[in-house]
Amino acid sequence: MSDNLLSPKLLAFQRLLNIMDELREQCPWDRKQTIESLRPMTIEETHELADAILEGNMDELKGELGDLFLHLVFYCKIGEEKALFDVQSVLDQVCEKLIRRHPHIYGDVQVRDEGDVKRNWEQIKLQEGRKSVLQGVPKSLPAVTKAVRIQEKVAQVGFDWPDKAQVWAKVQEEIGEFRAAEATGNPEEMADEFGDILFALVNYARFSGIDPEAALERTNRKFMHRFRYIEDNAPKPLTDMTLAEMDLLWERAKQRKP
């Protein structure tokens, strides 16, 4: 198919593929890259994308999406050079997977809501050869996000609390167990019980429709904003100030919007 018959979206994608071919042939830096060397940069780009989403900055989001597209095309180009895969086989595979995992769209399966869709998705993955519903949870995910994914996945096969009140009761139970461990002074036991508290709180956030990773990051940013206000407005070095003096500035910072 000639370029003049392609849609603007396909033309833009073809342009990116052409540029990638040129960079791989002509640029010493691009020619040197491997799948392994790209990995840390891709992780960084993904975090920058996440930052743009949290900040609600659509211009930044657009730019970061472009950077991520570049990385995906880069991996495909290297795969093509090694005769492992190319952009066509990658896209064909994901298209087939989407069709296979949406039988309510491309088949005759009936669903009532998104819950049914998620349950079907997990069941189909098991039918495809996965030995565990947890097999698809990346090892390198941040711990809070990983806890959410674990809980979501086991919930799809019915391993979940019946209601939110029971989840909160579990949070309180875990806090009690931590306090008991704290009384023994055993650091390892305390760490185990504290992890249980966090896991239970993440579960409660899930039941409440809250993304705990995003919520914690919002709190991190809020704290940093307020502490920087203290640093910027302190009449003397912080090490020479009392906690009460710093707390007065903290209260002022709370009245200001980030």
Side-chain angles (χ1 to χ4, degrees), residues 6-219:
L6 295 176
S7 71
K9 292 178 183 178
L10 291 177
L11 280 172
F13 190 58
Q14 183 63 62
R15 184 185 181 196
L16 177 59
L17 293 175
N18 292 341
I19 290 173
M20 186 73 256
D21 288 343
E22 293 167 354
L23 294 178
R24 192 67 174 167
E25 291 175 6
Q26 302 174 34
C27 175
W29 186 90
D30 288 284
R31 193 164 53 238
K32 184 180 178 181
Q33 299 313 307
T34 65
I35 287 175
E36 291 75 19
S37 71
L38 285 175
R39 179 181 179 274
M41 290 181 279
T42 305
I43 293 172
E44 181 179 345
E45 292 295 351
T46 304
H47 282 292
E48 290 177 0
L49 173 65
D51 285 347
I53 293 172
L54 284 175
E55 292 164 4
N57 189 326
M58 293 300 106
D59 287 336
E60 283 292 324
L61 178 60
K62 178 181 176 182
E64 298 303 340
L65 286 171
D67 291 341
L68 202 52
F69 259 114
L70 172 60
H71 277 245
L72 299 179
V73 167
F74 212 148
Y75 286 114
C76 290
K77 178 62 179 177
I78 296 173
E80 181 180 0
E81 293 168 352
K82 294 179 177 295
L84 299 173
F85 53 82
D86 60 14
V87 68
Q88 179 181 343
S89 64
V90 167
L91 294 179
D92 282 343
Q93 181 172 310
V94 73
C95 286
E96 291 302 321
K97 181 170 68 175
L98 288 172
I99 292 170
R100 189 169 60 250
R101 294 186 183 176
H102 289 79
H104 55 289
I105 303 295
Y106 302 103
D108 55 7
V109 172
Q110 300 295 315
V111 295
R112 294 166 299 177
D113 52 31
E114 63 173 313
D116 282 351
V117 174
K118 290 182 178 180
R119 281 185 286 275
N120 288 342
W121 182 281
E122 295 298 336
Q123 290 298 324
I124 292 169
K125 285 199 292 188
L126 289 175
Q127 293 167 10
E128 291 171 351
R130 293 199 175 185
K131 297 180 180 179
S132 169
V133 295
L134 298 177
Q135 189 172 331
V137 178
K139 297 177 182 178
S140 58
L141 274 180
V144 173
T145 301
K146 185 186 290 186
V148 175
R149 296 298 294 133
I150 289 170
Q151 293 165 4
E152 287 177 340
K153 284 183 173 294
V154 299
Q156 297 312 314
V157 294
F159 193 75
D160 205 4
W161 294 94
D163 59 67
K164 187 175 174 181
Q166 289 180 305
V167 181
W168 184 248
K170 184 62 176 176
V171 172
Q172 295 175 311
E173 176 188 326
E174 296 296 355
I175 291 173
E177 291 180 3
F178 170 77
R179 297 307 298 270
E182 190 176 31
T184 70
N186 185 320
E188 187 173 345
E189 187 178 351
M190 288 167 59
D192 284 345
E193 296 299 343
F194 193 78
D196 290 345
I197 293 173
L198 294 177
F199 194 84
L201 281 171
V202 167
N203 212 6
Y204 191 76
R206 180 174 65 90
F207 268 77
S208 302
I210 296 169
D211 178 347
E213 182 79 28
L216 181 57
E217 180 56 22
R218 286 176 62 181
T219 295

